[in-house]
Short mmCIF file of all heavy atoms in Angstrom, two decimals:
data_model
loop_
_atom_site.label_atom_id
_atom_site.label_comp_id
_atom_site.label_asym_id
_atom_site.label_seq_id
_atom_site.Cartn_x
_atom_site.Cartn_y
_atom_site.Cartn_z
N ILE A 30 23.01 -37.90 27.55
CA ILE A 30 24.15 -37.40 26.77
C ILE A 30 24.21 -38.20 25.47
O ILE A 30 24.13 -39.43 25.49
CB ILE A 30 25.49 -37.55 27.51
CG1 ILE A 30 25.41 -36.97 28.92
CG2 ILE A 30 26.61 -36.89 26.73
CD1 ILE A 30 26.67 -37.17 29.75
N GLU A 60 5.72 -27.20 45.39
CA GLU A 60 4.49 -26.88 44.69
C GLU A 60 4.32 -25.37 44.61
O GLU A 60 4.95 -24.60 45.34
CB GLU A 60 3.28 -27.48 45.44
CG GLU A 60 3.30 -28.99 45.56
CD GLU A 60 2.85 -29.69 44.30
OE1 GLU A 60 2.33 -29.01 43.39
OE2 GLU A 60 3.01 -30.92 44.22
N VAL A 65 6.10 -11.90 40.39
CA VAL A 65 6.08 -10.45 40.56
C VAL A 65 6.13 -9.84 39.16
O VAL A 65 7.03 -10.13 38.38
CB VAL A 65 7.26 -9.94 41.39
CG1 VAL A 65 7.27 -8.41 41.42
CG2 VAL A 65 7.19 -10.49 42.81
N ALA A 199 20.76 -10.03 39.18
CA ALA A 199 19.84 -11.06 38.69
C ALA A 199 20.42 -12.46 38.84
O ALA A 199 19.69 -13.41 39.16
CB ALA A 199 19.50 -10.78 37.22
N ASP A 204 20.44 -17.79 41.88
CA ASP A 204 21.03 -18.78 42.79
C ASP A 204 20.10 -19.07 43.96
O ASP A 204 20.21 -20.12 44.60
CB ASP A 204 22.37 -18.27 43.33
CG ASP A 204 23.46 -18.27 42.27
OD1 ASP A 204 23.33 -19.02 41.27
OD2 ASP A 204 24.46 -17.54 42.44
N ILE A 214 10.33 -2.89 25.44
CA ILE A 214 9.26 -2.29 24.63
C ILE A 214 9.83 -1.07 23.91
O ILE A 214 10.29 -0.12 24.56
CB ILE A 214 8.06 -1.88 25.50
CG1 ILE A 214 7.56 -3.05 26.35
CG2 ILE A 214 6.93 -1.33 24.63
CD1 ILE A 214 6.51 -2.67 27.38
N PHE A 220 18.05 -4.13 24.77
CA PHE A 220 17.86 -5.58 24.80
C PHE A 220 19.10 -6.30 25.29
O PHE A 220 19.01 -7.30 25.99
CB PHE A 220 17.47 -6.10 23.41
CG PHE A 220 17.14 -7.56 23.41
CD1 PHE A 220 15.90 -8.02 23.83
CD2 PHE A 220 18.08 -8.51 23.02
CE1 PHE A 220 15.60 -9.37 23.86
CE2 PHE A 220 17.79 -9.87 23.04
CZ PHE A 220 16.55 -10.29 23.45
N HIS A 234 11.21 -8.93 23.23
CA HIS A 234 11.11 -7.52 22.85
C HIS A 234 9.85 -7.32 22.02
O HIS A 234 9.52 -8.15 21.17
CB HIS A 234 12.33 -7.10 22.02
CG HIS A 234 12.31 -5.65 21.65
ND1 HIS A 234 12.69 -4.66 22.52
CD2 HIS A 234 11.93 -5.00 20.52
CE1 HIS A 234 12.57 -3.48 21.95
NE2 HIS A 234 12.10 -3.66 20.72
N PHE A 252 5.43 -17.04 28.34
CA PHE A 252 6.06 -16.96 29.66
C PHE A 252 5.28 -17.78 30.68
O PHE A 252 5.85 -18.50 31.51
CB PHE A 252 6.12 -15.50 30.12
CG PHE A 252 7.25 -14.71 29.52
CD1 PHE A 252 7.95 -15.16 28.41
CD2 PHE A 252 7.61 -13.49 30.06
CE1 PHE A 252 8.99 -14.43 27.85
CE2 PHE A 252 8.64 -12.74 29.52
CZ PHE A 252 9.33 -13.21 28.41
N PRO A 272 40.83 -33.76 28.30
CA PRO A 272 41.65 -32.71 27.67
C PRO A 272 42.05 -33.01 26.24
O PRO A 272 42.50 -32.12 25.52
CB PRO A 272 42.87 -32.62 28.59
CG PRO A 272 42.91 -33.91 29.32
CD PRO A 272 41.49 -34.35 29.48
N ARG A 299 46.25 -30.41 29.57
CA ARG A 299 46.82 -31.46 30.42
C ARG A 299 45.82 -31.98 31.44
O ARG A 299 45.86 -33.15 31.81
CB ARG A 299 48.07 -30.95 31.14
CG ARG A 299 49.21 -30.55 30.21
CD ARG A 299 50.39 -29.99 30.99
NE ARG A 299 50.93 -31.00 31.90
CZ ARG A 299 51.84 -31.90 31.55
NH1 ARG A 299 52.29 -31.94 30.31
NH2 ARG A 299 52.31 -32.76 32.44
N SER A 302 38.98 -30.06 31.20
CA SER A 302 38.26 -28.80 31.22
C SER A 302 36.95 -29.02 31.96
O SER A 302 36.42 -30.13 31.99
CB SER A 302 37.98 -28.31 29.80
OG SER A 302 39.18 -28.02 29.13
N GLU A 329 43.92 -35.63 17.12
CA GLU A 329 44.49 -35.81 15.79
C GLU A 329 45.01 -37.22 15.57
O GLU A 329 45.67 -37.48 14.57
CB GLU A 329 45.64 -34.81 15.57
CG GLU A 329 45.20 -33.36 15.56
CD GLU A 329 44.45 -32.99 14.29
OE1 GLU A 329 44.46 -33.80 13.34
OE2 GLU A 329 43.85 -31.89 14.25
N SER A 347 17.85 -27.05 45.62
CA SER A 347 18.97 -26.45 46.32
C SER A 347 18.84 -26.70 47.81
O SER A 347 17.78 -27.07 48.31
CB SER A 347 19.04 -24.94 46.05
OG SER A 347 17.86 -24.30 46.50
N ILE A 389 25.78 -11.67 12.74
CA ILE A 389 24.87 -10.68 12.17
C ILE A 389 24.59 -9.56 13.18
O ILE A 389 24.61 -8.37 12.83
CB ILE A 389 23.56 -11.34 11.71
CG1 ILE A 389 23.82 -12.31 10.54
CG2 ILE A 389 22.52 -10.30 11.32
CD1 ILE A 389 24.31 -11.65 9.28
N SER A 429 14.49 -6.74 7.91
CA SER A 429 14.71 -5.99 6.69
C SER A 429 13.45 -5.20 6.31
O SER A 429 13.52 -4.03 5.92
CB SER A 429 15.09 -6.95 5.56
OG SER A 429 15.40 -6.26 4.38
N LYS A 439 17.41 0.48 16.03
CA LYS A 439 17.61 -0.22 17.31
C LYS A 439 16.41 -1.08 17.65
O LYS A 439 16.54 -2.20 18.15
CB LYS A 439 17.89 0.79 18.42
CG LYS A 439 18.22 0.13 19.75
CD LYS A 439 18.51 1.17 20.81
CE LYS A 439 18.74 0.51 22.17
NZ LYS A 439 18.93 1.52 23.24
N PRO A 518 46.60 -47.50 16.68
CA PRO A 518 46.66 -48.78 16.00
C PRO A 518 46.70 -48.56 14.49
O PRO A 518 46.65 -47.43 14.02
CB PRO A 518 45.34 -49.43 16.41
CG PRO A 518 44.43 -48.27 16.56
CD PRO A 518 45.26 -47.16 17.09
#
Side-chain angles (χ1 to χ4, degrees):
I30 309 176
E60 299 281 349
V65 174
D204 289 338
I214 306 172
F220 185 80
H234 183 80
F252 280 15
R299 297 178 62 87
S302 295
E329 295 287 349
S347 61
I389 294 296
S429 184
K439 185 179 176 184

